[in-house]
Amino acid sequence: MSVEKPPSARLAPTCLRVYPYLAWSAAMQLLLIGVTWGLWFPGLRAVQTTQDLKEGFREFPAIGLLDFATQIPTWLDFAAASLWTIALLVQMVASLRLLLLWQCSGPLRGPTMACGANHDNLAVRWATTLEASLWVAVLAWMGLVVFNQHRLQAWGYLAVWIQGLYLLGSTSSGSSVRLKTGVLQSWRWLIVSVYFYSAISKFDHTFLSTLGSQFLTTGWNSLTGANLELDTVWPMWMTLIFPVGELIVAVGLASGQARRWFVLLALLLHAGLLWLLGPWGMQHQAGVLLWNVFFMGQVLLLFWPVRAQELTPNHEESLPARLALLLVLLIPLAQHRGWCDSWLAWELYAPRGSRIQVFVAAPALEALPELESYVEPEPMVEFGPLWRELRIDQWSLNQLHAPIYPQDRFQLGVALAVTDRVPEPEQVFVRWLGTANRWTGQREQKILRTKFEMEQFGRQYFWNFRADKK
C-alpha cells in the first residue's frame, strides 16, 4: 500500500523548474529589449545626421494597433516601456529569491538556521511581489503593442503567455509560497505547440524553395568551403529536413516523459540555427540569435529530466488556466482564415505570408536622403527607369535591429507614412502580394498607384493600418 506524499513534497520538483524558468524568461526578455531598444524606446534614438533634424524620418514609422493609438503622446509610450522593463527585472529577482528560499527550507524539512524565523512570511512577500510584477509586465506589454503593432515580436508574445499561464494557474494550499502547481504542464504544451505549428508552416513551397534552400546553401558552404550563391535552389526533398526535424522535436517533447534524445535533438536544432544564422553564416541580428539561446535554456528547464511525479495529472489547476491554455493552442488554427497574424500562429522563418513592396521615384529620394541606403540600387525594369524598391524590411533591421512585422496591414501603414513625407504623393506606389499558395508558391498581386487606392485597400483590415501622428 503506497502512502501519498504531502503537497509540499510533490511541489519540490515543480518549484525547482518554475522559478528558474521565470527568471530565465525575464532575463532573456531584458536582453532582447536591449538589442532591440529602438523599437521600445524610439525617442532615445540618437540623431546621426543633420538631415534627420529636418523633415526626414527620425524613427521607423509606428503603426498603432487601434486607431486612437496614433494620437498617444510619446511620454506615455516611454513610461509603458520603462514600466515593462522594471517589471521584468523584478520578475527575475523575485523568482531567484523564491528559489533560494525554497532550497533553504526544503519541502520535507522546516526552516533552517540560515533561513531565519521569518522564512514563511518572507516567502509569501516575495511570491506576492512576483505576481504583481507579472501583472504589470503583461499589462505594460499589451499597452506597448496597442501603441505600435511592430512590437508584436514573437518572443514578446510567447513571454506574455508564459506569464499569463502562471498568473491564471491554481494556487496550491499546501505551500506557503503559493506555487502554481499546474503551470509546468501548461508551459510544456505551450512550447510543444510552438514547435508543432512552426514545423507545419514550413511544409510549404515558398519556404522550401527560398529560405530552406538558403539554410542548406549556408551550411554547405560552411562545411565544405564552397562558395555557392545564396539563391541556389536545392531539391525540395533535401530542404524538408528542416520542417521534419522540427516536427520530430514537437512530437518527441509531447510524448510521455520526453526522453532525453528528443531534448538533445531540440538543442541540436537550435545550435544548428545559431550556426546558420550567426556571424559564421547568414549574419542575422542579435535578437534572432538570442531567441534560439532562450529556447535552448527553455528546453532544459522544462523537459530535462522529467520526473514521474511531474507527469501526474493535476486536478488543482483552475478553469481560467485551462481555458487560457486551450485558447493559445487553438489560436494558430485561425491563421489560414486571416483571423490571426503569422507570428501569433508561430509561423517562424515562414515567408509565405502576404506583404507589401514599396516603390519610390528617384526624385523623391532627394527629399529623403536618409532612406537612400535602403533603396535597391537598380531600377525596377517592369515599372520604368525612375522607380526603385524601398526595402522596408532592411530599414527595420538597420534602424531598430528587429525584423519588420510580417503583415501586409502593418507594411501598408509604413508605405503610407513614406507617401506623407515625399514632395508628391504620386512618387510612391505599392504592390500587394497575397499569401503564397502552399503547393505552388503563386501569389495574387495588386498594384496600388495612389494614396487614395492605398487608403481604400486598407479599409478591409479590422486593425489599424495608419501611422502615428505624433
Side-chain angles (χ1 to χ4, degrees), residues 174-188:
S175 171
S176 61
V177 182
R178 304 168 61 199
L179 187 64
K180 312 292 186 177
T181 57
V183 71
L184 266 181
Q185 293 185 49
S186 295
W187 282 342
R188 287 180 182 133

Side-chain angles (χ1 to χ4, degrees), residues 125-179:
R125 287 199 296 271
W126 277 108
T128 303
T129 301
L130 173 61
E131 294 199 11
S133 70
L134 295 175
W135 279 114
V136 171
V138 169
L139 295 175
W141 180 85
M142 294 174 109
L144 287 166
V145 168
V146 169
F147 301 159
N148 184 2
Q149 54 192 288
H150 200 171
R151 293 162 172 165
L152 262 171
Q153 299 286 307
W155 57 267
Y157 178 69
L158 177 62
V160 164
W161 275 111
I162 292 169
Q163 295 161 331
L165 289 173
Y166 179 88
L167 289 170
L168 294 174
S170 67
T171 300
S172 171
S173 59
S175 171
S176 61
V177 182
R178 304 168 61 199
L179 187 64

Side-chain angles (χ1 to χ4, degrees), residues 217-233:
T217 300
T218 301
W220 180 260
N221 288 345
S222 179
L223 286 173
T224 66
N227 194 27
L228 297 179
E229 296 292 334
L230 194 60
D231 58 359
T232 301
V233 178

